[in-house]
Amino acid sequence: MSKHKRAGIRQVASLAGVSVATVSRVLNMPDKVSPETAEKVRLAVEQLNFIPNSSARALSTRSTRSIGIVVPTLENLVYAKFLDALESSLAERNYNLVVSTTRKGAIAESLRVRDLVNIGVEALILPGLNHDAELLDYLRRTDITYVLSSVYDEAIEHPTIGYDNYALGRKVARYLVSHGHRNIQLLSGPLENNDRTMMRFQGVVDELQQHYGPEYQPQSQILGLNTQSAYEYVWASIEEKGEQAFSEATALLCLSDVIAIGVLLALEKKGIVVPQDLSVIGFDNLEISEFTNPSLTTVDLPVTEMGKRIAQALVCHLEQGTPLISHLLDAELIIRESVADIGNDRVGSRIRNHDPSSRDHR
């Protein structure tokens, strides 16, 4: 039995009586050609069963059943958890998830978005609020459905489904204050181009200033968003300052669990007992946070629920015309063992039996 050779774009152009370029425009930019020409190409596509990509499928079925998302990286465990829930929820509704990354900002988000639009995604998900105004205008002009994830702001015109990072920053700071902590050091990943972290940071500062006065300014350190960066920062601080390292702090407030975990590992290596000597609190509730020594008090971001909510909202909008509206998800503070209640007492010596020469930097 001979194999049936699949029709190509030239055969479609010949049958429709148009140029190859016109067929390409119909498949990728149907608004750039007349309805009559588009119909000729559509009929030729159907007759030849020509489906080269999702754009051609959209031409004949009016639907690619694909949702696109642009994220900075796939290395972030919070994104991985979110994407898993999102993809599973979309698959249950017979939709595909197409993931694209900006490689931590090395590639412009607008380029990734246009790539996804060109392959025919019916809707887009963009994390955060910080997006180029021209990009959002492009989405409106091309009539692409989109939602902003990992944030909530009902005051803006764009639909947001996520959590209030500013309010959560205040909640974490308020918890430390309620446990007697005044001297708090903030450890954060990069703030530039990350409105979620920036809002958490500002929430912490505003809450502390509400309690301790507008002149209060917590110590802060910007680190890489990874465990190694935090580990090396703590280790180097103790190597350099000895017993004076973190002597002015009673708590380290980490705006990400990956940072908090690096902090815990380094403190343990250096003989600093958490929380007796120094309290540590995180943000994200990664799975490993329950099993650190001690277990990490942290904020449980509802990323699994967010994935399910966004999938449901987009599919209902695409299939039933249900309006996309902003939705606030609750995030819970998970109380574990890494924060001490110090009341009005100062924490004593933080470094016990510290002998830098007796420990290896691993």
Side-chain angles (χ1 to χ4, degrees), residues 92-261:
E92 290 174 359
R93 297 167 170 82
N94 297 316
Y95 278 78
N96 301 310
L97 179 66
V98 184
V99 181
S100 183
T101 78
T102 62
R103 298 181 184 175
K104 299 181 180 180
I107 301 173
E109 183 183 48
S110 59
L111 292 178
R112 289 308 199 197
V113 167
R114 290 174 186 271
D115 287 343
L116 290 172
V117 171
N118 286 339
I119 67 171
V121 297
E122 296 184 64
L124 282 165
I125 303 162
L126 304 175
L129 299 174
N130 187 24
H131 304 285
D132 187 78
E134 291 185 4
L135 170 60
L136 296 176
D137 182 61
Y138 164 76
L139 294 177
R140 283 191 292 265
R141 286 188 287 105
T142 52
D143 199 29
I144 296 294
T145 297
Y146 66 92
V147 65
L148 307 183
S149 69
S150 306
V151 289
Y152 171 76
D153 190 341
E154 63 178 355
I156 65 174
E157 61 178 316
H158 314 292
T160 59
I161 299 179
Y163 29 86
D164 188 334
N165 289 277
Y166 175 80
L168 292 176
R170 298 198 68 145
K171 176 185 282 191
V172 170
R174 189 159 56 246
Y175 176 76
L176 290 179
V177 170
S178 73
H179 281 62
H181 295 276
R182 176 185 177 93
N183 299 319
I184 298 166
Q185 182 173 351
L186 263 169
L187 300 180
S188 170
L191 300 179
E192 186 178 3
N193 298 323
N194 192 326
D195 50 22
R196 283 84 71 207
T197 301
M198 176 63 81
M199 286 186 283
R200 295 177 194 177
F201 191 102
Q202 191 59 52
V204 170
V205 172
D206 288 353
E207 184 68 25
L208 294 176
Q209 289 182 344
Q210 178 176 318
H211 287 277
Y212 301 130
E215 73 285 349
Y216 179 92
Q217 192 65 38
Q219 291 183 324
S220 63
Q221 182 69 37
I222 305 301
L223 305 169
L225 190 58
N226 56 72
T227 296
Q228 181 178 349
S229 177
Y231 181 96
E232 292 178 347
Y233 165 71
V234 172
W235 186 279
S237 296
I238 298 173
E239 287 286 295
E240 177 184 354
K241 301 177 182 178
E243 293 188 2
Q244 297 305 307
F246 309 111
S247 62
E248 297 183 358
T250 62
L252 301 181
L253 195 167
C254 307
L255 295 182
S256 172
D257 275 6
V258 294
I259 291 175
I261 291 166

